[in-house]
DNA sequence: CTGTTAGCGCGTTCAC
DNA sequence: GTGAACGCGCTAACAG
C-alpha cells in the first residue's frame, strides 16, 4: 500500500531493461517508438501505478500550472462566484487556482502580488482594490513574461486585458425597468466617483433618464463611501426628507438596497407601490430579503470561466492575443421590489 | 526593466568569480563562508534583484509549498470564511492554498483529490461531501506521506485529525437560550440523521431539554433532506398545524430558519413573541433578515487558521503530532428573533 | 526505432 | 573558507 518512494521513470526503465528516454517517450506514445514497446511500458506503468513527478515536470518546463487569482474580498458573494467559475474552468485544463485577497487595501494587494510572483504562478487574474490607482506591481508580471488579466474592478489605464461586466448597460436597464414601471422620480444611490464600475452604472442611469425625457436631478443622487447598508438607510432617509421624494431608487449594490428597504419599512412606506427599488449584483440576499429585491446579475461564474479560459489560451499559445476588453452583458432579475403593476 | 531570462545562481557565481555553491551558501549566510564573501554576494544579489527560482528549489526539496483545500461548496458563507482564514494563515509561512470544491458529490470529491494529488500539494485540508461515507481517496494522501486534516464536515471513522466546531455545545446553548427566554415547547428542525454535525446539534438540543426538565417530543422534530429554505417553510407550517404548536424553533441552519420566518410572517405570527427562532452558522443573512436572527457562530475564519497552522506545523516538523480532534467552541449571537422579554 | 548525453537551478556532500 | 561534482526526475537534441 504505502510506497516509501514513488516509482520514477528510471525505475521502470531499469526494470524493463530500456533507457529512461525510451520509457519517457513510450508513455507519451511518441511516433518514433515501437507499438509493442509503448504497450509494454504503458502496461508496466499502469500495473505499478506510475505517476509522473509533477514537480520535476514543471521544473523542466519551467512552469507551475498554477494561476494566481487576487480579489478584494474572498467572503463576498460575487467574488466567490467568480472564484468558483475560475476553479472549475481551470481544472479542465489541469491548472490550479491560487487564491489571495487584498481586503481592498493597496498594501495587501502588493504583498499578494509579490507572493504570487515568488511562488511562480504562470499567470495572474486580478480584481483590484479600492486603493489601487497605479499598477506597477501588476506590470511586473508582464515584465516577467507572465500574462495578466484584470476582471470586474479594473484599472482602465493599465495596458492589460480586461474582463468586465457591462456596468453601463446594467445601470441603463435597471433604470429603464423602473421607468417602465411608471416611475418618474428615480433616485440613484451611487458609488464613489473615482471607481470605474460605479461611474459606468451612473452613466447608464443618466442615459436611461435622458432617453425617456426624464430630467436628471442632483437632489436624487447620493454617493456612498463604503457601500454599506447604513449608507443606504441614511440616504433613503435624506430622500424622504425632500419636498418631493423619489418614487424609485436604483442602488449601486444590493447591500445598499437593503438599507434602503429598512429605512422604508421603518417609515411604513410600501415597496414597491410607493417606492420601487432595484439593486445591483444579485447577491443571495436579493432573493432572501422581503420584499425580494429586483437586481442586476453580473454573471460572476461566467466571468471567472471566461477570464481563466483566455489566460490559459495565452499560456498554451504565446501567439494568442487576448482581446483587450471583454464585456459580459448583465441580466435584469425582476423580483417583488420593483413591480408596481401586476397583470 | 524586462529581463529576458532571470538571474540564476550560476550567473552571479560567474560574474563574481566564485563557485555556484559558494554563492548559494553565502546567500544563506552559511557559517563556513567568510563575512566579506557573504556581503559581496548579498549585495550583488540585491543590486541585481536576484530571486531564487522557486520551482527549482521546490523540486530540489521535493515539495511545493502548496496546501490543498477541498470544500463542498465555495459559494457559501461559512466555507468562504474558512478559506479566507486558511489563506491568511498560510501566507504567513509562505504557503499557498489551492482550493477545490466537491459540490457535495462524492465523484467530484474524488476527482478533486486526484487533481490535488497530481499537482503535488504538500498536504490536504478537507471538508467532506454529503455523499462521502468512505475515505479511501483521502487515505491515499497519507499513504503518500502527505498529512491531511479534516474540518467541519468530517468522516469520524477516518483515522485523520479533525478540526470541528462543538456542535453539541452549539445545539445545547441555542436550546438553553430559548429555555431562558421562557419557551416551553421548543421544536427542532434537524439535518439528516446520518450527518454527524446534525446529530451533535440534536444531541445538544436534547440534553438542554433534559437538563431543564422539558420533555422531548417527537412531534416537535423534523428532519431536513436538503437543508433548504423551502423545507424550513414547510416544516413550520406542519408545526403550526399541530394541536399544540411550539413556542420556539431551533433550526439546523440559518437558511432553514429563514424559511421558518417566512412561514410565520405569512401567517401573521409574531417573532419572537409568539414563536422565537434560533438558527445556526451565523451567516450574513442572520443580520440582514428581519427580524434579525439569533444564531450560533461557528468561527469559520478561526477554523481555517487553526487547521492550516496545524498542517504546516506537521509539514515543517515530521515529528509533530497533530492532535486527533480539536473542537472549537461556538458562540451564541443573540438578535431579535429570540429575545422575548426586553429589559 | 532506441540509447546516450546534456542540462533545467539549486542544495549538499566531500575534498582540498 | 571554498570549489568540484553529483543528483533530484524529467525532457529533448543528437547519434546511431
Amino acid at each position: 500500500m504505502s510506497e516509501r518512494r514513488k516509482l520514477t521513470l528510471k525505475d521502470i526503465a531499469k526494470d524493463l531493461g530500456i533507457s529512461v528516454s525510451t520509457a519517457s517517450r513510450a508513455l507519451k506514445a511518441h511516433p518514433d517508438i515501437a507499438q509493442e514497446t509503448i504497450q509494454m511500458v504503458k502496461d508496466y506503468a499502469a500495473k505499478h501505478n506510475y505517476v509522473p513527478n509533477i514537480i520535476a515536470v514543471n521544473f523542466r518546463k519551467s512552469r507551475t500550472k498554477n494561476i494566481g487569482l487576487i480579489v478584494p474580498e474572498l467572503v463576498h458573494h460575487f467574488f466567490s462566484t467568480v472564484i468558483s467559475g475560475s476553479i472549475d474552468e481551470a481544472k479542465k485544463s489541469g491548472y490550479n487556482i491560487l487564491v489571495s485577497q487584498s481586503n481592498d487595501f493597496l498594501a495587501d494587494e502588493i504583498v499578494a502580488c509579490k507572493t504570487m510572483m515568488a511562488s511562480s504562478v504562470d499567470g495572474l487574474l486580478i480584481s483590484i482594490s479600492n486603493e489601487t490607482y497605479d499598477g506597477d506591481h501588476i506590470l511586473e508580471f508582464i515584465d516577467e513574461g507572465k500574462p495578466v488579466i484584470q476582471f470586474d474592478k479594473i484599472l482602465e489605464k493599465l495596458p492589460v486585458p480586461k474582463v468586465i461586466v457591462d456596468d453601463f448597460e446594467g445601470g441603463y436597464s435597471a433604470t429603464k425597468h423602473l421607468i417602465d414601471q411608471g416611475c418618474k422620480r428615480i433616485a440613484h444611490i451611487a458609488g464613489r466617483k473615482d471607481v470605474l464600475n460605479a461611474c459606468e452604472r451612473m452613466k447608464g442611469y443618466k442615459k436611461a433618464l435622458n432617453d425617456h425625457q426624464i430630467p436628471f436631478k442632483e437632489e436624487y443622487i447620493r454617493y456612498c463611501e463604503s457601500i454599506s447598508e447604513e449608507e443606504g438607510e441614511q440616504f433613503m432617509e435624506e430622500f424622504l426628507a425632500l419636498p418631493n421624494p423619489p418614487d424609485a431608487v436604483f442602488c449601486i449594490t444590493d447591500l445598499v438596497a437593503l438599507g434602503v428597504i429598512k429605512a422604508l419599512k421603518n417609515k411604513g412606506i410600501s415597496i414597491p407601490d410607493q417606492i420601487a427599488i432595484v439593486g445591483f449584483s444579485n447577491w443571495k440576499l436579493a432573493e432572501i430579503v422581503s420584499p425580494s429585491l429586483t437586481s442586476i446579475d453580473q454573471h460572476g461564474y461566467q466571468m471567472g470561466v471566461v477570464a481563466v479560459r483566455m489566460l490559459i489560451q495565452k499560456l498554451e499559445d504565446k501567439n494568442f492575443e487576448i482581446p483587450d476588453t471583454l464585456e459580459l452583458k448583465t441580466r435584469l432579475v425582476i423580483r417583488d421590489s420593483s413591480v408596481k403593476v401586476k397583470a
Side-chain angles (χ1 to χ4, degrees), chain A:
Chain A
M1 177 78 93
S2 85
E3 306 119 57
R4 234 351 55 263
R5 216 196 18 166
K6 295 228 301 186
L7 199 67
T8 78
L9 269 188
K10 198 196 285 180
D11 298 327
I12 109 162
K14 198 173 57 181
D15 290 8
L16 253 36
I18 58 177
S19 80
V20 176
S21 57
T22 304
S24 170
R25 278 172 296 192
L27 285 173
K28 306 196 158 44
H30 188 102
D32 279 1
I33 305 293
Q35 265 313 315
E36 30 185 52
T37 312
I38 293 184
Q39 260 324 312
M40 175 179 73
V41 176
K42 282 198 169 173
D43 287 352
Y44 187 94
K47 182 164 165 229
H48 293 73
N49 198 25
Y50 167 75
V51 182
N53 181 331
I54 304 269
I55 319 185
V57 175
N58 287 347
F59 169 53
R60 189 72 232 298
K61 305 199 166 163
S62 63
R63 51 119 149 110
T64 57
K65 283 240 165 187
N66 288 161
I67 292 173
L69 174 55
I70 300 178
V71 295
E73 260 185 286
L74 190 56
V75 185
H76 186 298
H77 185 261
F78 174 69
F79 287 119
S80 57
T81 310
V82 176
I83 297 174
S84 179
S86 312
I87 290 180
D88 289 352
E89 180 66 20
K91 195 183 297 180
K92 290 185 194 162
S93 316
Y95 282 80
N96 300 301
I97 298 289
L98 258 162
V99 187
S100 196
Q101 54 187 337
S102 68
N103 302 310
D104 257 322
F105 295 134
L106 176 60
D108 289 20
E109 182 175 297
I110 292 179
V111 171
C113 280
K114 298 259 185 244
T115 311
M116 291 288 176
M117 188 79 92
S119 55
S120 285
V121 295
D122 294 341
L124 179 73
L125 303 178
I126 185 168
S127 188
I128 62 167
S129 84
N130 270 332
E131 298 182 349
T132 309
Y133 297 108
D134 171 336
D136 285 351
H137 52 297
I138 296 169
L139 288 176
E140 281 182 32
F141 282 82
I142 310 285
D143 287 347
E144 295 280 339
K146 300 177 194 297
V148 178
I149 295 181
Q150 303 187 73
F151 69 91
D152 193 54
K153 290 178 64 188
I154 61 167
L155 199 53
E156 200 168 22
K157 65 174 183 184
L158 217 59
V160 161
K162 307 159 181 75
V163 178
I164 50 180
V165 80
D166 191 338
D167 283 292
F168 173 83
E169 181 228 15
Y172 189 95
S173 66
T175 311
K176 176 164 187 313
H177 167 68
L178 289 168
I179 295 173
D180 289 345
Q181 298 300 311
C183 302
K184 303 285 182 204
R185 303 182 306 282
I186 302 173
H188 177 34
I189 299 183
R192 276 169 39 189
K193 288 180 190 171
D194 55 3
V195 173
L196 191 63
N197 313 55
C199 291
E200 289 298 312
R201 292 175 202 177
M202 169 70 93
K203 278 186 201 161
Y205 160 81
K206 285 185 179 171
K207 181 73 160 52
L209 292 187
N210 197 51
D211 283 358
H212 297 80
Q213 294 81 42
I214 298 181
F216 170 81
K217 290 190 183 168
E218 198 62 56
E219 61 177 351
Y220 288 155
I221 304 294
R222 289 295 182 282
Y223 296 94
C224 286
E225 191 55 40
S226 57
I227 318 269
S228 65
E229 187 184 342
E230 289 70 29
E231 286 175 319
E233 195 165 353
Q234 185 202 321
F235 291 148
M236 189 65 234
E237 282 167 9
E238 293 179 18
F239 285 146
L240 290 175
L242 291 176
N244 196 14
D247 57 4
V249 185
F250 162 42
C251 305
I252 183 77
T253 258
D254 288 350
L255 194 60
V256 173
L258 185 70
V260 167
I261 291 176
K262 273 206 180 149
L264 292 176
K265 277 190 183 167
N266 282 343
K267 300 280 182 185
I269 295 172
S270 85
I271 308 170
D273 295 329
Q274 288 178 268
I275 298 190
I277 316 281
V278 174
F280 207 109
S281 272
N282 196 28
W283 293 1
K284 184 85 187 165
L285 80 84
E287 31 181 305
I288 280 172
V289 75
S290 94
S292 62
L293 181 65
T294 294
S295 191
I296 301 288
D297 191 279
Q298 297 178 92
H299 304 293
Y301 189 92
Q302 188 58 19
M303 185 176 277
V305 168
V306 169
V308 163
R309 191 178 295 157
M310 294 202 315
L311 193 67
I312 290 181
Q313 219 165 331
K314 177 72 176 178
L315 250 20
E316 319 246 288
D317 170 16
K318 288 287 176 198
N319 294 320
F320 174 73
E321 280 301 322
I322 305 177
D324 181 63
T325 303
L326 189 65
E327 252 180 346
L328 269 42
K329 291 303 169 198
T330 58
R331 181 172 55 102
L332 176 69
V333 181
I334 301 175
R335 298 201 182 84
D336 298 340
S337 70
S338 68
V339 183
K340 294 225 177 184
V341 198
K342 307 210 177 190

